[in-house]
């Protein structure tokens, strides 16, 4: 892996600290210092403005724009795509003194420090601005997004003239004039604005998707005079502050952002009435109280989801950053929201959600916040109709889930992915299965999962085919998770996941018919599911072809893979990475090189279906062929390497899991955080070193301790209890918070967990 760490931030167990500001790191830091609360996200931009490289980014989950693509005469291509839209800058600020406006790109400054406090969810920054004439002003900034009331954000600026007394001008407002980075365009029409003594509001409508964002701000500051300036798409209040040497002036801005995603007429009418209400609500809020509530939210959250690593400050900071980002991006507050590949921290991947959600993120929520896991799955239920439309476009029956989406419609304009990858659909089915396996929430599966399972199975039964002699079933012309093998037949992962999906569908149908015959009849009718179709499902699952070489125990990634020309990936010069930029698209597809795990991914998801010998043979065959071009790749290899007691490899692949963004490993953190890889980093510790497996009947663990660590501890929410694991060089100590008597396996042996700690010698 041609990657190296770029350690820029100070190491601290609970804080990300930037001491001194390096301009070349400005965009990376904007991503790293992003704040989010699932509903909205704001990059760590300098609110006072910055004329160097920057992406001023403020996003709302589900507020998007659409663009028409060139119409293709080929059937199945999408002709419209959707992307997250950069909305209003609600933190807009400018600070002026003696005709100079502060700008860290051009001004003189000293004592710069920025701190993201992961424990509290508060971002602070301070420095001394040195004016051309030698005057000095200390500027301190603080901001947070409310975790209790997601529509609220708050900002405090403290200004202290250090060696003079005189006026300081502060501009604060709402700026809808931001440019969407990818398209280079602004996406807002201004529908109105208001201002009164201490607040301003502005309403923006998206240009083509008919959605709205209403931003209202209330100001608290002791000022000599103020006036409003309205420019195109921007409303700003100008405050004249009387600075006194050594005396701090505090400026507070509380922001309430309302969104209208729904385009129904009554929703629009409803939204209009919120205009005045917004100001009213703002008047009832206090900065201190909002701050306390947010700190308490994080306190509660950390209590039950922290991971402690002893003896490794870098990874301790790294994993806490990851956990923080997971909760910021999503915590199940709303059913229709998604996890974009970059969360709410940038515009790369267009804010779209991928199979990453079910395959990589869902485990974090299943074991930290079951309700959030359920809500995440509900998004797929709410978008079943769109998946069924997509199936029709692709000449299939049932439901074909999109590779990339915001609203449920396919947004991926690369047909190789959008038409050939079935893994989003099977990942959705896998997600429901995994959720049920852990929570036993059968009701939810009957209510929300079954419709999806029927329609996805139906799609599989129409997308796949029988071989010439009708002895085996498989999928032809597909692409598996490894995106370097296009248009292949019988991709092992796709066939295996297809088989599992259909088997699970049949099992849920059977259980439902036994437990609720009326409900069963209703759902059968609703989906017009015929007995012959069910019979066909059985047949397909039974005859699904899984390419496997008995003598070696290796699953063939797809038919013919073993005969592909071999590329020695160690001989590819470092300068040629990322390969997408240096090799033609078709050249990538013409050999046995892998972008990311495919067979190995299957072996992780359904781990207990395979023997350790099989895992070893496949790992040793496929890992040397994988270039890990996807950031999702190394953690999966690390988890499996741990299982195979390949400690050094496990640690090597873990090497950049927790710190991928903090150390800018992929050199693209500036575009936004790798949010779904961040989820894989959590898995890397819990499934990797903790050896947890959640695909069996009982939850099982096989902890190991990297020799670089003194110990580690993690927590798992499970069946209404919280299981606590502490691993050191000698022992594994396990207890449960509520002592519900949960049974687990450790190194294959059963244990019942109470509140009292049990001690098991660690196998190193
Ligand atoms: C990976 C996909 C993933 C997508 C979004 C791609 O580079 O190959 O598996 O879904 O990124 O994270």
């Amino acid at each position: 892996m041609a990657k190296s760490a770029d350690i820029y931030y100070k190491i601290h167990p609970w804080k990300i600290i930037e001491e001194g500001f390096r301009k070349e790191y400005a965009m990376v830091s904007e991503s790293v210092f992003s704040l989010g609360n699932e509903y909205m996200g704001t990059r760590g931009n300098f609110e006072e403005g910055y004329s160097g490289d920057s992406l001023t980014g403020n996003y709302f989950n589900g507020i998007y724009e659409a663009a028409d693509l060139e119409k293709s005469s080929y059937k199945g291509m999408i002709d419209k795509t959707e992307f997250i839209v950069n909305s209003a800058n609600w933190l807009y600020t400018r600070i002026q003194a003696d005709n100079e406006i502060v700008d860290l790109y051009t001004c003189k400054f000293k004592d710069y420090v920025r701190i993201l406090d992961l424990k509290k969810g508060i971002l602070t920054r301070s420095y001394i601005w040195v004016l051309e004439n030698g005057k000095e002003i200390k500027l301190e900034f603080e901001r947070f997004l409310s975790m209790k009331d997601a529509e609220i954000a708050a900002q405090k600026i403290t200004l202290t003239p250090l060696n003079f007394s005189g006026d300081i001008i502060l501009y604060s407002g709402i700026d809808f004039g931001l440019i969407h980075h990818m398209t280079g365009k602004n996406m807002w029409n201004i529908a109105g604005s208001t201002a009164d003594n201490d607040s301003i509001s502005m309403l923006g409508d998206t240009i083509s998707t008919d959605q709205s964002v209403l931003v209202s701000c209330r100001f608290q500051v002791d000022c000599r005079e103020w006036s409003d300036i309205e420019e195109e798409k921007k409303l700003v209040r100008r405050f004249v502050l009387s600075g006194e040497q050594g005396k701090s002036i505090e400026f507070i801005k509380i922001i309430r952002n309302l969104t209208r995603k729904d385009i129904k007429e009554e929703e629009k009418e409803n939204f209009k009435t919120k205009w005045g209400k917004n100001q009213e609500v703002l008047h009832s809020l206090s900065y201190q109280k909002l701050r306390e509530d947010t700190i308490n939210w994080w306190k509660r959250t950390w209590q039950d989801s922290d991971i402690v690593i002893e003896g490794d400050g870098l990874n301790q900071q790294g994993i806490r950053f990851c956990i923080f980002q997971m909760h910021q991006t999503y915590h199940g507050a709303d059913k229709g929201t998604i996890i974009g590949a970059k969360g709410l921290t940038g515009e790369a991947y267009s804010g779209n959600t991928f199979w990453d959600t079910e395959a990589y993120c869902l485990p974090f929520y299943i074991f930290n916040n079951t309700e959030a896991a359920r809500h995440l799955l509900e998004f797929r239920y709410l978008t079943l109709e769109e998946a069924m439309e997509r199936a029709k476009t692709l000449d299939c029956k049932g439901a074909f889930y999109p590779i990339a989406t915001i609203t449920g419609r396919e947004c991926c304009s690369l047909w190789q992915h959008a038409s050939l990858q079935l893994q989003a659909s099977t990942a959705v089915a896998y997600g429901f299965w995994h959720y049920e396996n852990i929570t036993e929430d059968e009701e939810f599966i009957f209510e929300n999962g079954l419709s999806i399972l029927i329609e996805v199975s139906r799609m599989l039964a129409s997308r796949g085919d029988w071989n010439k002699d009708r002895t085996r079933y498989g999928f032809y012309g597909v692409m598996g998770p490894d995106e370097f093998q296009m248009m292949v037949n019988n991709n092992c992962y796709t066939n295996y996941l297809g088989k599992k999906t259909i088997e699970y569908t049949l099992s849920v149908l059977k259980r439902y018919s036994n437990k609720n015959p009326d409900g069963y009849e209703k759902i059968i009718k609703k989906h017009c599911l015929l007995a012959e179709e069910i019979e066909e499902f059985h047949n397909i699952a039974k005859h699904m072809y899984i390419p496997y070489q008995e003598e070696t125990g290796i699953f063939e990634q797809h038919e013919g893979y073993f005969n592909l020309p071999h590329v020695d990936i160690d001989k590819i010069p470092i300068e040629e990475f990322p390969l997408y930029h240096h090799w033609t698209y078709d050249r990538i597809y013409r050999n046995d090189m892998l972008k990311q795990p495919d067979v190995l991914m299957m072996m992780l998801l359904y781990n207990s279906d395979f023997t350790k010998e099989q895992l070893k043979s496949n790992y040793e065959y496929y890992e040397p062929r994988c270039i890990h071009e996807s950031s999702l790749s190394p953690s999966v290899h690390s988890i499996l390497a741990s299982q195979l007691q390949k400690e050094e490899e496990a640690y090597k692949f873990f090497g950049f899991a927790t710190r991928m963004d903090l150390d800018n490993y992929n050199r693209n953190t500036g575009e936004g955080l790798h949010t779904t890889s961040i989820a894989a980093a959590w898995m890397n510790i819990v499934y990797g070193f903790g050896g947890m497996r959640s695909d069996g009947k009982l939850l099982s663990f096989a902890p190991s301790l990297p020799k670089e660590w003194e110990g580690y501890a993690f927590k798992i929410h499970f069946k209404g209890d919280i299981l606590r694991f502490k691993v050191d060089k000698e022992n594994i100590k396990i207890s449960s918070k509520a002592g519900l008597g949960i049974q687990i396996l450790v190194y294959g042996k059963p244990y019942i967990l109470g509140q009292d700690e049990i001690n098991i010698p660690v196998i190193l």
Side-chain angles (χ1 to χ4, degrees), residues 341 349 354-356 423 481 483 595-596 629-632 676:
Y349 282 115
F354 293 75
W355 73 304
D356 311 23
Q423 89 228 27
E483 297 182 344
K595 176 183 181 188
Q596 64 199 97
E629 187 122 312
S630 162
S631 60
L632 297 170
T676 49

Side-chain angles (χ1 to χ4, degrees), residues 42 45-50 56 58 88-95 101 141 143 155 157 170-178 200 202 215 217 219 229 231-239 251 253 255:
T42 180
N45 305 111
F46 295 156
E47 50 258 74
E48 70 277 26
Y50 179 72
T56 305
N58 296 275
N89 179 5
W90 56 79
L91 295 173
Y92 179 93
T93 307
R94 295 291 178 267
I95 299 169
I101 293 192
F141 301 86
R143 72 171 84 151
Q155 175 197 38
I157 305 174
L170 187 137
Y171 301 85
S172 177
I174 305 163
D175 182 9
F176 268 99
L178 298 183
I200 58 172
M202 194 167 231
V215 182
C217 316
F219 309 108
I229 308 165
E231 290 169 11
E232 217 210 335
K233 305 193 181 187
K234 188 154 89 185
L235 178 56
V236 176
R237 182 154 295 181
R238 178 179 183 273
F239 298 93
F251 169 83
K253 180 179 188 180
I255 304 116

Side-chain angles (χ1 to χ4, degrees), residues 226-329:
W226 59 265
S227 56
D228 286 337
I229 308 165
E230 188 151 6
E231 290 169 11
E232 217 210 335
K233 305 193 181 187
K234 188 154 89 185
L235 178 56
V236 176
R237 182 154 295 181
R238 178 179 183 273
F239 298 93
V240 180
L241 313 176
S242 310
E244 256 184 67
Q245 183 165 343
K247 263 185 117 183
S248 296
I249 306 168
E250 208 172 76
F251 169 83
I252 285 176
K253 180 179 188 180
I254 302 180
I255 304 116
R256 185 160 190 253
N257 294 325
L258 297 181
T259 55
R260 179 184 58 79
K261 300 175 193 167
D262 205 318
I263 59 167
K264 283 190 234 100
E265 275 314 310
E266 66 264 31
E267 271 307 307
K268 286 192 205 171
E269 279 311 303
N270 237 336
F271 197 68
K272 281 187 199 150
T273 63
K274 296 189 175 164
W275 186 270
K277 188 94 197 305
N278 225 9
Q279 322 275 13
E280 230 179 274
V281 173
L282 279 175
H283 280 95
S284 66
L285 299 173
S286 109
Y287 185 86
Q288 270 321 321
K289 177 82 175 65
L290 289 166
R291 194 176 182 279
E292 263 163 44
D293 286 348
T294 294
I295 293 174
N296 285 335
W297 190 95
W298 279 108
K299 195 173 168 192
R300 280 195 307 276
T301 303
W302 281 114
Q303 249 162 29
D304 294 334
S305 62
D306 189 20
I307 290 183
V308 177
I309 299 177
E310 283 164 33
D312 181 350
L314 278 169
N315 279 308
Q316 175 66 84
Q317 184 184 41
I319 191 62
R320 287 203 173 119
F321 178 72
C322 293
I323 296 171
F324 182 75
Q325 291 305 335
M326 289 309 290
H327 290 298
Q328 284 212 119
T329 305

